């Protein structure tokens, strides 16, 4: 039977992608593991592999198409023994009517959001034109993507009450989120449809209307402030759109507060110089490592999270998730945006390991070759603008993380030591905290632990 090829979800937050290039053409044989296409997400270009064999019968979304929604039908593969020319765009052979009875596997059950594999769906799982949701009747199988099923389970939403907008009426993520936003969703375990409604429910008991999100000026309104011909319009790419959306949501949803400390760097700079001098050489004659101040900052932040375990946590709607190890993201600027690759178990890694990992991450980030699992997650992040001469700034938390450390430039300043003025190299660091996870005192403990490690850096070596 024909196999539908769907736009894959290459990360948990991906909603749309660009179909950059087809690496197979219509009529080509396809084997498991063959690369079918290149998909551009907001962060990277990913190769998508086939997981079934057959003939690529029809390409429904041409290469170069932008903003293709996840789970949209993009191509059809004819299975072994089928005539590719007889496969229709809807996925059913012309000469055979689709079966009325659904097969055992629900549509999209083999989809793998967040991975590099293609999402497939067998095509004879529901009659043509049927909406495989509430319209199928009580007890009928509901066709939904794995991501939609997971969200529905978390939110207590009955999928049978959700109308699907995916291929052949399948319920997909956006349908579940729309059902949640529309009001009180029908949940599993509620009274049956035959149960009588409560008599004259008071209006005051109805669910409160959801407040509308604040909207900015429209394109035309902004243009109206400026004379024509005095500006150039630069369309947003996927990365910039995602940055704008996620950080706007972060400032609206996460209650930020800020804690600032000055850290003396003299001991750290002396230790850094000593360690770099002691670095051996590789086969290419280059040092095995070259530590930067940022490497010490990453390590100190990882150890600080372990010293203050209550701060090693993130917000998850109705609970807090606390972690066993410290995962520290590091902002890497690239043209048009940034990546935040995550140093896993930063508390356990040596400074040289962190340094070499960051060099690798930074190089692949600028080439947009990072894998989604390398820049997703994390508990906190480090954003360092010191190399630009910035003394102090505040940073926006990157959800779902609960904090971010903004690091300024190290510079010579007059400080007071033993009641006397003295010159020291000082760095200003500001911690942005999500008040839902970190209270003021907890945030102060975290940044104080960080300051202590920076000013007594030998503690990072033991």
């Amino acid at each position: 039977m024909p196999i539908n090829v769907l736009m894959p979800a290459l990360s948990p937050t991906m909603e749309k992608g660009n179909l950059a290039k087809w690496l197979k053409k219509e009529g080509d044989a396809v084997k498991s593991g063959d690369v079918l296409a290149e998909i551009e997400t907001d962060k990277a270009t990913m190769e998508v592999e086939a997981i079934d064999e057959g003939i690529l019968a029809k390409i429904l979304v041409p290469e170069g198409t932008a903003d293709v929604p996840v789970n949209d039908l993009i191509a059809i593969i004819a299975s072994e023994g089928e005539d590719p020319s007889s496969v229709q765009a809807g996925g059913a052979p012309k000469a055979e009517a689709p079966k009325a009875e659904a097969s055992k596997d629900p549509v999209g059950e083999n989809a793998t959001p967040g991975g590099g594999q293609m999402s497939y769906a067998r095509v004879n799982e529901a009659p043509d034109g049927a909406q495989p949701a509430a319209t199928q009747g009580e007890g009928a199988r509901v066709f939904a993507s794995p991501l939609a099923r997971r969200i529905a389970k978390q939110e207590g939403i009955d999928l049978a009450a959700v109308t699907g907008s995916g291929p052949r009426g399948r319920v997909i993520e956006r349908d579940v989120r729309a059902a949640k936003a529309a009001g009180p969703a029908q949940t599993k375990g509620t009274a049956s449809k035959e149960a009588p409604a409560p008599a004259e429910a008071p209006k005051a008991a109805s669910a409160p209307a959801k407040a509308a999100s604040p909207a900015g000026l429209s394109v035309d309104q902004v243009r109206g402030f400026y004379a024509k011909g005095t500006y150039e319009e630069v369309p947003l790419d996927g990365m910039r759109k995602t940055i704008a959306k996620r950080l706007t949501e972060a400032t609206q949803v996460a209650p930020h507060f800020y804690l600032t400390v000055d850290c003396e760097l003299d001991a750290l700079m002396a230790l850094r110089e000593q360690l770099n001098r002691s670095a051996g050489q590789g086969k290419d004659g280059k040092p095995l490592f070259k530590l930067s101040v940022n490497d010490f900052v990453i390590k100190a932040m990882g150890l600080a999270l372990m010293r203050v375990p209550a701060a090693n946590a993130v917000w998850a709607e109705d609970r807090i998730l606390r972690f066993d190890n410290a995962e520290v993201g590091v902002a890497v600027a690239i043209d048009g945006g940034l990546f935040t690759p995550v140093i896993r178990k930063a508390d356990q890694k040596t400074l040289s390991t962190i340094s070499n990992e960051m060099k690798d991450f930074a190089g692949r980030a600028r080439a947009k070759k990072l894998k989604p699992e390398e820049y997703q997650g994390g508990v906190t992040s480090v954003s360092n603008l010191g190399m630009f001469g910035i003394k102090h700034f505040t940073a926006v938390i990157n959800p779902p993380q609960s904090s971010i450390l903004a690091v300024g430039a190290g510079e010579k300043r007059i400080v007071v030591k033993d009641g006397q003025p003295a010159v020291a190299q000082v760095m200003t660091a500001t911690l942005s905290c999500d008040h839902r996870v970190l209270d003021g005192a907890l945030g102060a403990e975290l940044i104080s632990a960080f300051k202590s490690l920076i000013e007594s850096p030998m503690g990072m070596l033991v």
Side-chain angles (χ1 to χ4, degrees):
M1 63 187 70
I3 301 164
N4 285 353
V5 181
L6 308 179
M7 186 67 172
L10 300 176
S11 73
T13 58
M14 178 176 167
E15 298 177 354
K16 296 179 181 179
N18 301 334
L19 210 161
K21 184 178 181 181
W22 282 103
L23 301 178
K24 294 285 186 180
K25 61 181 183 295
E26 290 185 358
D28 283 356
V30 174
K31 296 184 297 183
S32 178
D34 284 354
V35 178
L36 293 179
E38 291 181 353
I39 304 295
E40 291 180 350
T41 70
D42 58 309
K43 292 288 189 180
T45 299
M46 307 290 291
E47 291 184 343
V48 182
E49 297 180 356
I51 58 173
D52 279 304
E53 297 184 356
I55 302 294
L56 185 57
K58 292 186 183 296
I59 291 176
L60 304 177
V61 177
E63 63 181 42
T65 303
D67 293 336
V68 181
V70 166
N71 289 323
D72 268 18
L73 186 64
I74 60 175
I76 299 174
I77 293 177
S79 299
E80 184 179 356
E82 290 183 321
D83 180 5
S85 63
S86 70
V87 177
Q88 293 181 339
K94 293 179 182 177
E96 181 181 352
K99 298 179 182 179
E101 183 178 353
S103 66
K104 293 182 180 180
D105 292 330
V107 175
E109 197 67 20
N110 295 320
T112 55
Q117 299 294 324
M118 202 53 140
S119 300
Y120 290 89
R122 297 291 181 180
V123 299
N124 69 331
E125 294 170 327
D128 280 342
Q131 290 291 323
T135 56
Q136 291 189 355
E138 192 72 26
R141 181 185 293 275
V142 176
F143 299 96
S145 71
L147 183 58
R149 290 179 182 277
R150 183 166 69 250
I151 295 172
K153 183 177 180 181
Q154 293 171 348
E155 302 295 340
I157 295 174
D158 186 355
L159 284 174
V162 180
T163 300
S165 65
R168 304 176 67 80
R170 182 165 58 151
V171 177
I172 58 179
E173 177 193 8
R174 62 172 174 251
D175 302 324
V176 179
R177 296 198 183 280
K180 178 187 175 185
Q186 181 181 353
T187 58
K188 295 179 180 179
T190 56
S192 65
K193 294 178 181 178
E194 291 76 14
E200 296 186 8
K203 291 183 179 179
S206 61
K210 188 175 181 179
S213 299
L217 297 175
S218 69
V219 174
D220 290 336
Q221 287 173 323
V222 174
R223 287 185 183 132
F225 287 105
Y226 307 99
K228 290 183 179 180
T230 62
Y231 56 84
E232 174 190 3
E233 296 193 15
V234 181
L236 299 179
D237 60 13
M239 175 178 289
R240 181 51 58 185
K241 287 179 182 177
T242 299
I243 290 172
K245 178 182 177 182
R246 287 175 58 81
L247 296 188
T248 298
E249 291 174 350
T251 55
Q252 292 173 343
V253 174
H256 286 53
F257 71 93
Y258 309 96
L259 302 168
T260 300
V261 293
D262 289 333
C263 305
E264 294 188 17
L265 296 179
D266 295 294
L268 186 150
M269 299 303 288
L271 178 61
R272 171 176 173 257
E273 183 179 355
Q274 181 181 352
L275 293 175
N276 283 338
R277 282 200 311 265
S278 68
Q281 293 185 341
K283 294 180 180 179
D284 57 1
K286 295 181 179 180
L288 292 174
F289 60 85
K290 186 176 181 181
L291 303 180
S292 68
V293 172
N294 212 45
D295 298 329
F296 283 88
V297 169
I298 297 166
K299 177 71 172 180
M301 200 62 195
L303 289 172
L305 286 171
M306 302 311 295
R307 292 186 179 185
V308 189
N312 192 23
V314 299
W315 181 261
E317 191 169 1
D318 64 348
R319 67 203 66 194
I320 289 174
L321 308 182
R322 287 185 178 167
F323 297 90
D324 297 327
N325 297 109
E327 299 195 346
V328 180
V330 185
V332 177
I334 65 170
D335 289 341
L338 59 84
F339 278 95
T340 310
V342 179
I343 300 293
R344 311 291 178 183
K345 298 183 178 180
D347 55 303
Q348 299 179 17
K349 290 179 177 174
T350 63
L351 287 162
S352 60
T353 299
I354 290 173
S355 179
N356 290 330
E357 274 194 25
M358 277 310 306
K359 287 181 176 63
D360 173 58
F361 279 153
R364 290 193 290 120
R366 295 184 181 105
K368 293 191 175 182
K369 295 296 183 182
L370 289 177
K371 300 175 183 177
E373 59 267 26
E374 292 176 321
Y375 57 78
Q376 292 172 351
V379 173
T380 191
S381 284
V382 170
S383 180
N384 191 335
L385 295 181
M387 65 284 296
F388 298 104
I390 302 300
K391 178 179 179 179
H392 169 259
F393 69 105
T394 59
V396 179
I397 297 168
N398 183 27
Q401 297 176 6
S402 60
S403 63
I404 184 169
L405 186 73
V407 180
E411 59 182 5
K412 295 290 185 180
R413 300 184 197 171
I414 301 296
V415 298
V416 177
K417 291 186 176 182
D418 300 325
Q420 299 295 323
V423 177
Q425 191 160 357
V426 179
M427 171 187 79
T428 298
T430 299
L431 185 69
S432 303
C433 302
D434 183 341
H435 214 320
R436 298 172 301 177
V437 181
L438 287 81
D439 293 325
L442 185 60
E445 283 187 63
L446 179 61
I447 199 167
S448 295
F450 169 81
K451 174 181 168 71
S452 175
L453 286 158
I454 290 293
E455 294 186 337
S456 301
M458 289 296 293
M460 300 188 214
L461 304 183
V462 296

